[in-house]
Amino acid sequence: MTEQKKTEQKPSTDTVKNYGWLGNTLSIAISLAIGVGGLYIYYHSQQQNAALKAENLALQQETASLTQQQSADKQNFSAKLQELADSLQQANSQRQQQAGRITELQNRVSAFANTDIENWRLAQASSLVKMAGRKVWSEQDMTTAIALLKDADQNLAEMDDPSLLYARKAIMADIDSLTKIKQIDLDGIILMLNQLSNQVDNLHLANKVEQATSEKENEHGITASLADWRQNLSHSWHSFMDNFVTITPRDNSKEPLLAPNQGVYLRENIRSKLLIAAQAVPRHQAKIYQDALKDVQSWVNAYFDTTDPEAERFLTNVASLQKRPLSINVPEQLNSQPILAELVRKRIYNLPDSTQSQTDSQSEILPEAQSRSTTTATADQVKTSVEGN
């Protein structure tokens, strides 16, 4: 029994030994596998850690680079923003300066424009007053002179300058003085002279030459009938003799007798004298006017029949024209003219004294006197030529 138990115990020990070796082998294999796996895992983890560290380092470097770039970009943006702000401020400053300059220029232009307008109005007023003076002294046209003075006063009124009130008062005084002057109807005198010129043909010569000639022409009329040949021959003979020899009865006048064909020249000379008188009227040449009318009156009395109603009316009109004056009493100078001339010198030409004004006034008077003397000489020449005809 004991042997059986021993026999039975032997296989179990061997089995146990076999199992023990196998277990140790397995344990070693498992340990080796675990070690190899651990080494693999460790190596792999080391590689991953290295890769992660490299990636982390690259990320850190990239982050640092991005941070630096961002910082640089921020600095550049700040610099550009500051530069833009400075540029904007400079542009605003320049715009303000330009706006100030533009405003200053506008003010200057406005001041210059106002000054030019004021100077122009003042110069125009002075010119209008000078023109009014010429109308008064040269043409004695008071209506036009008053209108020119009113225009000058209107220009001064538009300037709205209180310092010009005394000039406007002088202009109003001149207007008042010219308004009181009585006008002369020069146009009526000229029309009356023209009417007399048209009436010259209605005057009859005192020696009856025209009447006798017309009567003889009627007496010596020739007919177209052959039966009247004796009468026609007698009329032709008498007509020839009347034209060949003319007998004119003369009266007690001392003027020489005129030939029948000289009456036409006499009438034309009378018309020429009336024309000279008409031309002297607007120029206020009283002497030429009176001399021409005296010549007309003397020629009509000497050569025409003064008992005829036409001649009586003609001589009456001539005498009436001789009594009518051609000139009127006008002021020697307008009070406003030297005042405006002084204002023009001071405000436009900046001349302190008035010596230039006196020189200008004398230079203005001299040409007018020369023109009047020239006109008188021309009229005398016309008169001489007409008398010579």
Side-chain angles (χ1 to χ4, degrees):
M1 178 120 153
T2 303
E3 293 178 2
Q4 291 180 351
K5 288 183 182 181
K6 291 182 181 181
T7 307
E8 291 178 0
Q9 288 180 352
K10 286 183 182 179
S12 59
T13 302
D14 296 331
T15 303
V16 171
K17 288 181 181 182
N18 290 330
Y19 283 118
W21 180 81
L22 181 59
N24 291 329
T25 302
L26 290 173
S27 298
I28 292 169
I30 292 170
S31 297
L32 288 173
I34 292 171
V36 172
L39 290 174
Y40 175 77
I41 292 172
Y42 176 76
Y43 177 75
H44 185 68
S45 63
Q46 288 295 327
Q47 287 182 347
Q48 287 182 351
N49 289 333
L52 290 174
K53 287 180 180 181
E55 291 178 359
N56 189 15
L57 182 61
L59 289 174
Q60 289 178 356
Q61 292 178 354
E62 187 177 358
T63 301
S65 177
L66 290 175
T67 301
Q68 292 178 357
Q69 185 177 0
Q70 184 178 6
S71 178
D73 292 339
K74 184 177 180 181
Q75 290 178 357
N76 292 332
F77 179 75
S78 299
K80 290 181 179 180
L81 184 62
Q82 185 65 30
E83 184 179 357
L84 289 174
D86 295 339
S87 299
L88 182 61
Q89 185 176 2
Q90 185 178 3
N92 290 331
S93 178
Q94 292 178 354
R95 184 180 61 80
Q96 291 178 357
Q97 292 178 359
Q98 291 178 356
R101 291 178 182 176
I102 291 173
T103 303
E104 184 179 359
L105 289 175
Q106 288 178 350
N107 293 332
R108 289 183 179 180
V109 170
S110 179
F112 288 154
N114 292 332
T115 303
D116 291 341
I117 292 175
E118 299 300 323
N119 291 337
W120 178 81
R121 287 175 177 170
L122 182 60
Q124 187 180 20
S126 178
S127 177
L128 290 172
V129 171
K130 289 181 181 179
M131 291 174 62
R134 294 189 182 97
K135 285 292 182 181
V136 171
W137 303 315
S138 300
E139 303 177 13
Q140 295 186 355
D141 187 359
M142 303 303 159
T143 303
T144 306
I146 291 172
L148 292 172
L149 289 175
K150 289 181 179 180
D151 290 340
D153 180 69
Q154 182 64 28
N155 286 328
L156 296 181
E158 291 177 356
M159 293 175 66
D160 195 15
D161 189 353
S163 62
L164 299 177
L165 290 178
Y166 72 99
R168 295 188 62 190
K169 289 181 180 179
I171 293 176
M172 297 305 296
D174 291 335
I175 293 174
D176 184 64
S177 63
L178 295 181
T179 305
K180 295 178 181 178
I181 297 176
K182 186 177 180 181
Q183 298 290 328
I184 297 177
D185 188 12
L186 300 180
D187 295 334
I189 296 175
I190 295 174
L191 291 175
M192 194 169 181
L193 289 171
N194 293 333
Q195 185 177 2
L196 290 178
S197 180
N198 296 329
Q199 293 175 359
V200 172
D201 291 331
N202 298 330
L203 301 178
H204 298 286
L205 291 172
N207 52 20
K208 308 296 183 181
V209 173
E210 295 176 339
Q211 183 178 0
T213 302
S214 61
E215 290 178 354
K216 289 179 181 180
E217 289 178 355
N218 294 330
E219 290 176 358
H220 302 305
I222 298 175
T223 63
S225 177
L226 294 177
D228 298 334
W229 63 274
R230 293 179 181 275
Q231 185 179 0
N232 291 337
L233 181 61
S234 176
H235 290 172
S236 298
W237 172 256
H238 288 293
S239 177
F240 171 74
M241 293 301 296
D242 290 339
N243 291 328
F244 184 75
V245 178
T246 301
I247 300 174
T248 303
R250 65 171 300 163
D251 52 9
N252 295 327
S253 64
K254 296 180 181 180
E255 296 292 339
L257 294 176
L258 292 176
N261 58 349
Q262 294 296 319
V264 177
Y265 299 108
L266 176 62
R267 298 178 194 277
E268 292 301 324
N269 286 334
I270 293 175
R271 288 193 180 92
S272 298
K273 289 294 181 179
L274 293 174
L275 178 61
I276 292 174
Q279 292 177 347
V281 170
R283 301 171 183 173
H284 307 283
Q285 297 170 343
K287 187 177 184 305
I288 297 175
Y289 174 78
Q290 293 293 339
D291 292 342
L293 291 181
K294 285 180 181 179
D295 291 339
V296 170
Q297 190 177 29
S298 62
W299 289 349
V300 171
N301 288 325
Y303 296 105
F304 292 92
D305 185 9
T306 56
T307 60
D308 185 70
E310 290 289 340
E312 290 180 356
R313 285 194 296 270
F314 188 89
L315 292 174
T316 301
N317 291 331
V318 171
S320 175
L321 289 174
Q322 286 179 337
K323 296 178 182 179
R324 300 184 67 172
L326 299 183
S327 60
I328 55 179
N329 294 326
V330 297
E332 296 181 356
Q333 186 179 11
L334 297 178
N335 297 326
S336 57
Q337 184 171 353
I339 294 175
L340 288 174
E342 186 71 20
L343 288 173
V344 169
R345 285 192 302 274
K346 288 182 178 179
R347 297 194 178 188
I348 299 179
Y349 300 108
N350 296 323
L351 296 177
D353 54 2
S354 59
T355 56
Q356 187 67 24
S357 173
Q358 297 176 357
T359 305
D360 294 341
S361 299
Q362 293 177 358
S363 63
E364 289 178 359
I365 294 173
L366 289 177
E368 292 181 0
Q370 292 177 359
S371 64
R372 291 179 182 177
S373 62
T374 304
T375 305
T376 304
T378 304
D380 291 337
Q381 292 178 359
V382 173
K383 177 181 177 182
T384 305
S385 63
V386 172
E387 290 179 350
N389 294 330

